[in-house]
């Protein structure tokens, strides 16, 4: 009995050792890939950082850094450098998982790669939404200030939230995440906003709108300033 | 090129007319109420002051639907009971033509330049179609400097109310003067004279698919003439009164167009304005006289409110545009009561230079940047109105002069902030004479 137990334990230990020995090169390769990926990602980030002055100027000349400059330190180039780091490191993580040659790992990598186009599209939709929301919110803010409409910031915030919601729905649609639930929530929310706005205009804001138009008309009639 | 700019029938009509010593252009769009009188004044002016010269009046129309073109063709000088002692050798020809290209005053002017080139005109002038104060003397004043004194560009000099032309007075004139060193008092006047060779130079510029074709042609013409080394002068025209404009016309859009045009020209002509220091007078022709000007009502409270709204809500944009010191000084104005409100001249100059540099660096979207200037401009106008309420015209001009000198003194501040190295020198026209040189080639 003891002999049999010893045999089973020995056999199990041997198989474990064999499995570890079988997997060890893959694990080492995974670690190596991760370290190399991290180094390459850092190197890319460092190079882009080094070129930040030139890169900032280039991005500015293309007209795409205006909005990015407003985030974080170092301007648009800083953001691009960080993005490059995560792209390189993200790819190295996937390669590292694949190096294990496990079924789960292979499935994960395949899914990730199959999901990539959706992810990229969703990221692009989110970026476009962010840009559009920012541009339109600022346009609305400046317009409201110049037209003398009281809650200029609220109007701008409303525009930003509206565009943000639309962007979220569009991105979720691309990612195929709870499509029905997201769409239903969005429709309910939008209907609520439209109803609230209609009631507000009907009940209270109409009077304010009339007052504003009267005020504007009378001030324009009073004033004959020739600006040019 | 003629086919691209002019319609075939216009080119044919022009060929039938032959040469013309003088071309006077009138760009129009729905100006049926006033264009007849403008054409009459031009025709009388040509008959009275240039009877020996062949002349052509061109109405370059942007597709009017109110009968502007018919009114331009039907207007007759003999209807007015005038004593014209010298009889013209040739009748004044008239041409009404739609223009091609992007809709706008610039495209209308381009057609006029092309017609002047084809007609081999020696002197040309353009006047607005909505003028109510034009007299035949304007034509003489806008054309004689080219014909008899070899000038290439004649800018108008109007007698204006102290509160009129506030964009010109607070931004365009002082900035143009400080940049290019030339004291052209009305760089965006709208009525100009120019030589045939300057018209040809304008045509060679690659701007006709840009905003210049839509708006900003006035400041473009003035700046191009100065930077091209052409001989520039001014003519005193008296008061400028034109047809009432839509009172609801958007000030912000107007400011965006005008200031945006000036800033874009700064980018084009960087190598010209960077080394220029100080400024020089530009010769002024015409007999200066005082004109009774109607009072201009101004709503000061509304302007100050507009400024305060900007201060409260546009901080996020201004912080990206203004230097920290300028932003801090502006914020300190929030504490002032409407009675004490005052935006100092030096702060205003720094604000404009900050906006120009930020526009060039594209720190904020250009449209946002320019539109966000409106509350600051209203603050500046309010401050100016409050300061000059009791001042006479002469005192206001003195104050203007001080502002211009401040713009000139603060120019190093602009250069310090202006990003990038100087752009290459634009090619001067081969026949361009040095600025104000008496030895300019004959027109």
């Amino acid at each position: 009995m003891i002999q049999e137990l010893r045999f089973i334990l020995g056999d199990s230990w041997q198989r474990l050792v064999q499995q570890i020995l079988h997997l060890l090169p893959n694990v080492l390769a995974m670690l190596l890939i991760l370290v190399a990926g991290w180094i390459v990602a850092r190197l890319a980030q460092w190079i882009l950082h080094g070129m930040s002055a030139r890169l900032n100027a280039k991005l500015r000349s293309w007209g795409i850094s205006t909005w990015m400059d407003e985030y974080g330190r170092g301007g648009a180039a800083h953001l691009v450098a960080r993005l490059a780091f995560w792209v390189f490191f993200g790819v190295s993580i996937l390669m590292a998982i694949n190096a294990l040659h496990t079924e789960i790992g292979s499935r994960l990598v395949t899914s990730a790669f199959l999901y990539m186009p959706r992810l990229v599209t969703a990221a692009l939709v989110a970026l476009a939404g962010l840009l559009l929301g920012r541009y339109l919110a600022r346009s609305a803010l400046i317009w409201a200030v110049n037209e003398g409409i009281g809650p200029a910031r609220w109007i701008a915030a409303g525009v930003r939230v509206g565009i943000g919601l639309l962007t979220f729905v569009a991105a979720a649609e691309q990612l195929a995440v709870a499509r029905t639930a997201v769409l239903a929530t969005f429709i309910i929310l939008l209907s609520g906003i439209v109803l609230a706005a209609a009631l507000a205009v009907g009940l209270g804001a109409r009077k304010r709108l009339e007052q504003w138009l009267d005020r504007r008309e009378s001030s324009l009639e009073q004033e004959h300033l020739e600006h040019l | 090129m003629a086919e691209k700019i002019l319609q075939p029938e216009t080119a044919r009509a022009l060929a039938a007319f032959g040469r013309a010593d003088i071309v006077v252009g009138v760009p129009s769009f729905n100006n049926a109420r006033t264009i007849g009188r403008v054409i009459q004044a031009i025709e009388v002016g040509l008959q009275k002051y240039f009877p020996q010269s062949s002349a052509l009046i061109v109405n370059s129309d942007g597709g009017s639907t109110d009968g502007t073109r018919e009114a331009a063709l039907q207007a007759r000088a003999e209807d007015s009971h005038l004593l014209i002692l010298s009889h013209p050798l040739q009748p004044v020809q008239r041409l009404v033509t739609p223009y091609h290209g992007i809709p706008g005053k610039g495209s209308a002017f381009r057609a006029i330049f092309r017609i002047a080139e084809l007609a081999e005109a020696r002197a040309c002038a353009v006047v607005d179609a909505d003028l109510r104060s034009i007299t035949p003397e304007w034509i003489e004043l806008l054309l004689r400097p080219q014909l008899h004194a070899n000038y290439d560009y004649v800018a108008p000099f109007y007698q204006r109310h102290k509160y009129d032309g506030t964009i010109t007075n607070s931004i365009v004139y002082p900035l143009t003067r400080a940049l290019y060193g030339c004291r052209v008092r009305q760089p965006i006047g709208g009525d100009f004279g120019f030589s045939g060779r300057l018209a040809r130079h304008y045509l060679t510029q690659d701007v006709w698919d840009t905003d210049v074709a839509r708006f900003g042609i006035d400041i473009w013409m003035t700046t191009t003439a100065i930077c091209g080394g052409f001989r520039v002068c001014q003519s005193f025209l008296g008061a400028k009164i034109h047809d009432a404009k839509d009172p609801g016309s958007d000030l912000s859009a107007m400011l965006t167009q005008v200031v945006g045009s000036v800033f874009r020209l700064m980018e084009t002509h960087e190598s010209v304005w960077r080394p220029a220091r100080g400024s020089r007078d530009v010769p002024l022709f015409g007999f200066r006289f005082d004109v009774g000007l109607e009072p201009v009502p101004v709503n000061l409270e509304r302007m100050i409110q507009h400024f305060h709204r900007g201060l409260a809500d546009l901080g996020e944009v201004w912080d990206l545009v203004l230097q920290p010191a300028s932003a801090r000084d502006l914020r300190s104005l929030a504490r002032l009561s409407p009675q004490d409100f005052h935006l100092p001249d030096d702060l205003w100059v720094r604000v404009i230079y900050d906006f120009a540099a930020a526009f060039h660096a594209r720190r904020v979207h250009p449209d946002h940047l320019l539109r966000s200037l409106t509350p600051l401009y209203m603050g500046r106008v309010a401050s100016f109105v409050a300061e000059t309420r009791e001042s006479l015209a002469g005192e206001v001009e003195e104050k203007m002069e001080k502002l211009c000198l401040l713009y000139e003194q603060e120019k190093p501040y602009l250069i310090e902030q202006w990003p990038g190295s100087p752009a290459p020198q634009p090619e001067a026209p081969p026949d361009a004479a040095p600025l104000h040189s008496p030895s300019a080639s004959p027109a």
Side-chain angles (χ1 to χ4, degrees):
Chain A
M1 165 96 175
I2 290 175
Q3 190 72 20
E4 197 176 338
L5 188 66
R6 194 182 288 164
F7 174 76
I8 291 168
L9 282 174
D11 184 50
S12 144
W13 172 251
Q14 266 192 344
R15 268 191 288 142
L16 181 69
V17 168
Q18 268 176 359
Q19 273 182 350
I20 287 173
L21 282 175
H22 176 71
L23 267 177
L24 197 62
N26 295 53
V27 171
L28 282 175
M30 183 191 84
L31 288 174
L32 207 67
I33 289 169
L34 274 179
V35 171
W38 188 85
I39 291 170
V40 170
R42 274 275 175 235
L43 200 67
Q45 189 181 15
W46 180 73
I47 290 169
L48 287 171
H49 249 303
M51 292 163 58
S52 65
R54 268 193 298 166
L55 189 64
N56 269 334
K58 190 52 92 182
L59 289 168
R60 236 176 242 139
S61 71
W62 290 339
I64 58 170
S65 77
T66 301
W67 65 277
M68 288 162 113
D69 280 352
E70 295 159 28
Y71 294 105
R73 293 159 296 162
H78 180 72
L79 210 67
V80 170
R82 271 171 60 182
L83 191 71
F85 171 81
W86 282 109
V87 167
F88 278 101
F89 195 52
V91 169
S92 71
I93 288 172
L94 287 176
M95 282 168 67
I97 293 170
N98 204 28
L100 285 175
H101 282 305
T102 57
E103 200 182 323
I104 295 175
S106 297
R107 230 183 283 158
L108 192 73
V109 171
T110 313
S111 309
F113 273 110
L114 285 176
Y115 207 59
M116 201 65 91
R118 283 177 178 278
L119 204 69
V120 170
T121 315
L124 287 175
V125 167
L127 183 71
L130 183 78
L131 287 176
L132 189 70
R134 201 173 175 79
Y135 178 83
L136 292 180
R138 191 169 277 172
S139 299
L141 177 75
I142 296 169
W143 170 80
V145 167
N146 286 337
E147 286 299 315
I149 298 170
R153 279 170 189 262
W154 282 73
I155 291 170
V159 170
R160 193 174 285 141
V161 169
I163 301 289
L165 271 172
L166 271 172
T167 308
F168 175 71
V169 172
E173 174 75 17
Q174 287 303 319
L175 293 172
V177 178
R179 273 180 176 161
T180 329
V182 169
L183 200 64
T185 312
F186 175 70
I187 290 168
I188 291 166
L189 207 65
L190 190 70
S191 313
I193 291 169
V194 170
L195 186 68
L199 284 173
V201 171
L203 296 175
R206 198 183 69 178
K207 200 171 178 190
R208 289 200 67 176
L209 201 65
E210 279 173 4
Q211 282 172 348
W212 172 72
L213 284 171
D214 286 348
R215 221 172 39 235
R216 186 171 187 268
E217 206 169 307
S218 67
S219 69
L220 285 169
E221 274 170 12
Q222 281 168 19
E223 202 168 280
H224 300 288
L225 208 60
E226 185 77 53
H227 293 277
L228 290 178
Chain B
M1 186 166 75
E3 292 71 29
K4 278 187 193 168
I5 304 171
L6 304 175
Q7 290 205 333
E9 49 268 38
T10 306
R12 275 197 297 274
L14 201 59
F17 291 149
R19 284 187 67 256
D21 297 322
I22 294 169
V23 168
V24 181
V26 186
S28 67
F29 180 66
N30 287 342
N31 301 109
R33 277 193 301 185
T34 47
I35 196 164
R37 207 188 112 68
V38 171
I39 299 277
Q40 279 180 1
I42 296 167
E43 197 165 326
V44 173
L46 290 169
Q47 289 175 357
K48 191 172 173 184
Y49 296 105
F50 305 101
Q52 312 289 322
S53 306
S54 53
L56 174 65
I57 300 173
V58 180
N59 169 220
S60 182
D61 188 68
S64 300
T65 51
D66 66 342
T68 297
R69 281 184 274 185
E70 291 74 19
L73 281 170
Q74 283 158 13
R76 286 281 165 264
E78 50 268 29
D79 291 348
S80 43
H81 301 285
L82 298 160
L83 285 170
I84 301 172
L85 298 176
S86 43
H87 294 282
L89 292 179
Q90 305 168 54
V92 175
Q93 303 286 354
R94 209 176 289 186
L95 185 63
V96 176
T97 174
Y99 59 77
H100 272 188
I102 300 168
K105 193 176 173 184
S107 295
F109 273 39
R110 188 191 188 195
I112 295 165
F113 298 152
R114 180 63 185 148
I115 288 169
E117 186 185 39
L118 289 174
E120 297 172 40
R122 290 166 59 210
C124 317
V126 279
V127 291
D128 286 339
D130 65 346
L131 287 169
R132 289 199 174 277
S133 59
I134 185 170
T135 63
E137 284 66 40
W138 281 36
I139 300 305
E140 189 213 0
L141 288 161
L142 291 174
L143 291 169
R144 204 174 287 285
Q146 300 96 295
L147 290 170
H148 294 153
N150 290 335
Y151 279 96
D152 287 298
Y153 188 70
V154 188
F157 192 107
Y158 308 113
Q159 181 88 11
R160 305 185 79 166
H161 187 275
K162 60 184 175 183
Y163 300 154
D164 258 353
T166 35
I167 295 180
T168 302
N169 289 349
S170 56
I171 305 174
V172 183
Y173 166 54
L175 184 56
T176 308
R177 169 176 157 170
L179 289 172
Y180 306 107
C182 227
R183 295 178 192 168
V184 177
R185 187 64 183 82
Q186 300 288 339
I188 50 173
D191 312 300
F192 303 102
F194 47 92
S195 63
R197 68 177 192 138
L198 183 53
R200 288 195 297 278
H201 178 66
Y202 285 147
L203 281 171
T204 61
Q205 304 300 299
D206 185 20
V207 294
W208 304 109
D209 293 321
T210 68
D211 280 346
V212 170
R214 273 186 285 269
F215 47 78
I217 183 74
D218 301 335
I219 189 63
W220 179 83
M221 282 172 69
T222 306
T223 310
T224 306
I226 295 171
C227 294
F230 289 92
R231 298 187 75 220
V232 178
C233 70
Q234 306 173 93
S235 278
F236 182 78
L237 302 179
K240 178 175 183 171
I241 302 163
H242 47 75
D243 216 15
K245 284 196 177 117
D246 170 19
S249 59
D250 188 0
L251 164 68
S252 194
M254 196 194 300
L255 196 67
T256 302
Q257 290 176 3
V258 174
V259 179
S261 302
V262 177
F263 286 174
R264 274 181 212 102
L265 285 163
M266 283 175 77
E267 292 176 332
T268 309
H269 298 295
E270 187 186 338
S271 56
V272 178
W273 65 258
R274 238 179 211 272
R277 291 288 177 276
S279 64
R280 352 167 229 192
D281 274 328
V282 171
L284 175 63
F285 296 110
F287 184 75
R288 285 194 71 169
F289 52 92
D290 276 336
V291 182
L293 298 165
E294 285 185 19
V296 176
V298 177
N299 188 339
L300 209 61
E301 194 190 343
R302 191 180 72 89
M303 290 180 184
I304 296 174
Q305 275 175 4
H306 193 159
F307 174 78
H308 281 295
R309 274 199 308 274
L311 212 54
D313 291 327
L314 295 184
E316 63 166 281
V317 184
W318 291 353
D319 282 341
L320 293 166
V321 174
L322 299 168
Q323 290 298 304
S326 313
R328 190 192 56 228
D329 291 351
L330 270 178
R331 287 206 171 89
S332 71
L333 301 182
R335 292 193 293 270
L336 298 175
S337 66
Q339 290 76 29
D340 299 329
F341 181 79
H342 174 63
L343 200 159
D345 284 356
D346 61 330
L347 176 57
W348 172 246
V349 173
R350 274 188 285 133
V351 163
I352 292 298
Y353 282 160
D354 286 347
F355 267 75
F359 180 91
H360 181 52
R362 300 289 185 268
R363 265 182 244 153
V364 182
H365 190 281
D367 193 55
H368 289 161
L369 178 133
L370 293 165
R371 281 181 188 271
S372 76
L373 180 64
T374 315
L376 293 168
Y377 165 73
M378 292 310 264
R380 160 68 199 172
V381 176
S383 182
F384 177 79
V385 169
E387 243 178 285
T388 57
R389 211 191 286 270
E390 307 297 329
S391 306
L392 298 171
E395 292 166 333
V396 174
E397 270 308 307
E398 274 175 31
K399 189 171 160 44
M400 273 295 308
E401 183 60 23
K402 280 183 189 159
L403 178 72
C404 291
L405 291 173
L406 251 173
Y407 266 92
E408 290 175 17
Q409 282 164 20
E410 290 288 330
K411 194 171 165 183
Y413 172 84
L414 168 70
I415 292 170
E416 201 177 292
Q417 286 188 63
W418 191 264
S421 52
Q425 179 84 32
E427 258 182 52
D431 53 349
L435 198 65
H436 302 160
S437 159
S439 59
S441 60

